[in-house]
C-alpha cells in the first residue's frame, strides 16, 4: 500500500435522469426572452427537470440499479447505503431510508445521510473509506440525488437558468490497497453563509417560527458568492496540492462541481486546469447540486478518464461557504 493512502476502490458507477428533458429555448419562452438568451447566459444547451410528482428516492434507486447492473453486482452484496444529497426527501426519516425502500438493496442494512450541500458526495466518499477500513462493512453504495428544479425561484433570473435534476451512484470497496485517497481537504467560511440558501425545511423557518412560501425557494447572491469564492479558491487549491505533494500537471483528471459556466471557466483561466484534464458536462446537465460531482465522475469513468490515471482530483464549492476536495488514485 502506498504510504499514507486511505484504501478505497470505486468498482461501479451509475446515473439516472428524469424523463423530462428541457431545452434552453423552452426556457426562453417560459421567461419571455428572445431565442438563444438562456443558452447564451447560462451556457447550457439542455438539462433535465423532474415532473412535480416525480420521486427523488425513486430517481436515486434507479442510479443505484444502473451501477449494480453495469458490473453485474448482486444487490444483496451491498451492506451500507449512504445518501449524499443536498436536499432531503423530508425532515425525518433520513433520505437514505426512503431510497432503501425504493431500491432492490437488502432490508436491514446500515443507511444514513451525509449532507454537505454540493460537496456531499466527496464527504461521503471520505466517510465510506473510514467504514471500510474497519472491515465491518465490505461494499458500500453512495448515491446523490437532487431535484433542484423544485426550489427554483423563477423570478430570480440569475439562479433560475442554471439548475438541472439528476442522480448518480458509486459502489465502493476497500480494494487491494493500490487505490485510495491521497488527501481530503474541507473548509467552511461562514462569512458567506447567507449567500446561497434555502431557509425553510428545518427548525429555523417553519409554521411555528414563521415562514413564507419564498423561504422554500433557492436564493443566491450570485455576484457576491462568485467574488468570495474566487478570492479563496486559489489558496484552497494550492493547499490541496501541497497536502497531496503533487503538482497540477500530475493530476490526470479534475472532476469539479458543475456549478456554473463561469466557475468552470475560472478553473481553466485562473487555476490553470487544462481542458483535457477537466470533466465538463455542464452544457447537458446544468448544476445538479450534490449529484453534480458524482455525475461528472461517472462521465470520467465511462469516457476512459478515470481508471488508469495516475491521480484524480474531485473539487467543489458549496453553500456555507464551503470548499472541498479529494485527490485519489483510481
Amino acid at each position: 500500500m502506498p504510504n499514507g493512502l486511505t484504501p478505497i476502490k470505486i468498482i461501479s458507477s451509475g446515473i439516472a435522469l428524469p424523463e423530462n428533458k428541457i431545452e434552453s429555448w423552452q426556457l426562453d419562452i417560459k421567461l419571455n426572452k428572445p431565442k438563444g438568451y438562456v443558452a447564451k447566459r447560462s451556457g447550457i444547451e439542455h438539462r433535465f427537470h423532474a415532473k412535480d410528482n416525480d420521486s427523488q428516492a425513486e430517481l436515486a434507486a434507479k442510479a443505484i440499479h444502473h451501477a449494480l447492473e453495469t458490473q453485474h453486482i448482486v444487490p444483496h452484496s451491498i451492506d451500507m447505503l449512504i445518501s449524499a444529497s443536498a436536499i432531503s426527501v423530508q425532515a425525518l426519516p433520513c433520505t437514505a431510508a426512503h431510497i432503501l425502500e425504493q431500491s432492490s438493496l437488502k432490508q436491514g442494512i446500515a443507511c444514513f445521510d451525509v449532507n454537505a450541500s454540493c460537496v456531499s458526495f466527496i464527504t461521503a466518499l471520505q466517510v465510506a473509506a473510514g467504514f471500510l477500513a474497519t472491515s465491518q462493512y465490505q461494499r458500500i453504495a453512495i448515491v446523490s440525488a437532487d431535484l433542484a428544479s423544485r426550489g427554483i425561484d423563477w423570478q430570480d433570473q440569475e439562479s433560475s437558468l442554471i439548475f438541472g435534476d439528476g442522480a448518480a451512484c458509486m459502489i465502493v470497496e476497500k480494494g487491494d490497497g493500490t487505490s485510495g485517497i491521497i488527501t481530503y481537504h474541507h473548509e467552511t467560511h461562514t462569512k458567506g453563509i447567507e449567500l446561497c440558501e434555502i431557509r425553510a425545511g428545518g427548525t429555523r423557518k417553519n409554521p411555528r417560527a414563521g415562514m413564507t412560501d419564498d423561504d422554500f425557494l433557492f436564493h443566491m447572491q450570485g455576484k457576491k458568492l462568485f467574488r468570495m469564492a474566487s478570492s479563496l479558491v486559489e489558496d484552497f487549491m494550492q493547499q490541496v496540492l501541497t497536502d497531496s505533494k503533487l503538482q497540477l500537471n500530475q493530476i490526470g483528471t479534475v472532476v469539479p462541481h458543475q456549478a456554473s459556466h463561469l466557475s468552470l471557466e475560472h478553473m481553466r483561466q485562473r487555476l490553470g486546469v487544462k481542458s483535457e484534464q477537466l470533466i465538463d458536462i455542464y452544457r447537458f446537465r446544468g448544476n445538479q447540486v450534490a449529484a453534480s460531482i458524482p455525475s461528472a465522475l461517472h462521465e470520467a469513468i465511462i469516457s476512459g478518464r478515470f481508471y488508469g490515471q495516475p491521480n484524480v482530483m474531485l473539487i467543489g464549492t458549496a453553500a456555507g461557504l464551503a470548499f472541498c476536495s479529494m485527490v485519489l488514485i483510481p
Side-chain angles (χ1 to χ4, degrees):
M1 182 188 301
N3 187 36
L5 193 71
T6 303
I8 192 169
K9 180 76 173 179
I10 296 173
I11 63 169
S12 191
S13 66
I15 61 166
L17 294 165
E19 294 180 4
N20 194 22
K21 182 179 178 182
I22 305 294
E23 302 285 351
S24 284
W25 62 263
Q26 293 175 282
L27 295 185
D28 291 334
I29 295 171
K30 180 180 179 68
L31 298 170
N32 196 27
K33 297 294 183 182
K35 186 177 180 180
Y37 177 87
V38 170
K40 183 178 180 181
R41 288 295 297 269
S42 70
I44 301 172
E45 293 181 23
H46 66 255
R47 83 291 299 271
F48 297 82
H49 284 174
K51 296 176 183 177
D52 289 346
N53 59 351
D54 284 350
S55 164
Q56 178 185 357
E58 287 181 7
L59 192 69
K62 287 179 181 177
I64 293 170
H65 297 155
H66 184 205
L68 292 170
E69 291 161 6
T70 297
Q71 296 299 327
H72 308 289
I73 295 170
V74 178
H76 277 42
S77 68
I78 306 294
D79 50 15
M80 175 179 283
L81 170 63
I82 303 176
S83 169
S85 305
I87 301 297
S88 57
V89 170
Q90 62 186 59
L92 290 171
C94 69
T95 294
H98 287 275
I99 296 170
L100 179 63
E101 181 187 36
Q102 297 297 324
S103 77
S104 61
L105 301 183
K106 182 172 59 177
Q107 286 291 308
I109 65 171
C111 65
F112 58 89
D113 295 356
V114 168
N115 187 342
S117 188
C118 295
V119 295
S120 296
F121 172 76
I122 306 178
T123 307
L125 200 57
Q126 177 75 5
V127 170
F131 276 105
L132 291 170
T134 69
S135 298
Q136 184 177 354
Y137 299 94
Q138 308 301 317
R139 186 173 282 175
I140 300 174
I142 306 170
V143 63
S144 300
D146 275 312
L147 302 184
S149 63
R150 297 278 166 87
I152 290 176
D153 179 0
W154 291 107
Q155 304 305 311
D156 181 1
Q157 182 176 294
E158 190 173 27
S159 66
S160 64
L161 306 184
I162 66 174
F163 287 106
D165 301 341
C169 174
M170 300 289 149
I171 297 176
V172 297
E173 295 179 348
K174 189 174 182 179
D176 61 5
T178 59
S179 62
I181 299 166
I182 298 173
T183 185
Y184 168 83
H185 192 61
H186 195 151
E187 297 178 0
T188 302
H189 301 267
T190 59
K191 285 183 179 180
I193 200 168
E194 295 180 350
L195 299 181
C196 185
E197 62 178 354
I198 297 174
R199 293 183 289 268
T203 59
R204 181 186 177 200
K205 295 286 185 177
N206 58 72
R208 292 184 177 178
M211 63 180 185
T212 66
D213 289 348
D214 189 61
D215 290 325
F216 287 91
L217 301 178
F218 175 81
H219 297 280
M220 179 177 71
Q221 299 177 49
K223 291 180 181 178
K224 288 184 179 179
L225 183 66
F226 186 76
R227 283 198 299 268
M228 183 175 176
S230 298
S231 71
L232 295 168
V233 71
E234 290 180 40
D235 287 344
F236 175 78
M237 176 73 114
Q238 187 53 57
Q239 187 62 55
V240 172
L241 292 171
T242 299
D243 290 348
S244 64
K245 298 180 175 59
L246 294 169
Q247 300 296 317
L248 185 55
N249 60 12
Q250 294 175 288
I251 305 292
T253 301
V254 177
V255 182
H257 172 39
Q258 313 288 299
S260 68
H261 178 67
L262 282 177
S263 71
L264 293 168
E265 279 305 306
H266 189 272
M267 295 203 75
R268 293 183 179 96
Q269 300 297 326
R270 292 283 297 277
L271 299 183
V273 179
K274 296 178 180 178
S275 292
E276 56 267 29
Q277 289 176 293
L278 194 69
I279 301 296
D280 182 353
I281 61 172
Y282 180 73
R283 283 181 302 158
F284 311 114
R285 302 291 176 79
N287 181 336
Q288 296 174 296
V289 201
S292 173
I293 290 174
S295 292
L297 179 55
H298 173 76
E299 182 66 24
I301 290 170
I302 65 172
S303 63
R305 299 171 66 186
F306 181 70
Y307 299 114
Q309 294 292 335
N311 306 289
V312 172
M313 177 187 288
L314 312 180
I315 187 168
T317 58
L321 172 70
F323 296 81
C324 188
S325 184
M326 175 181 287
V327 179
L328 49 85
I329 298 173

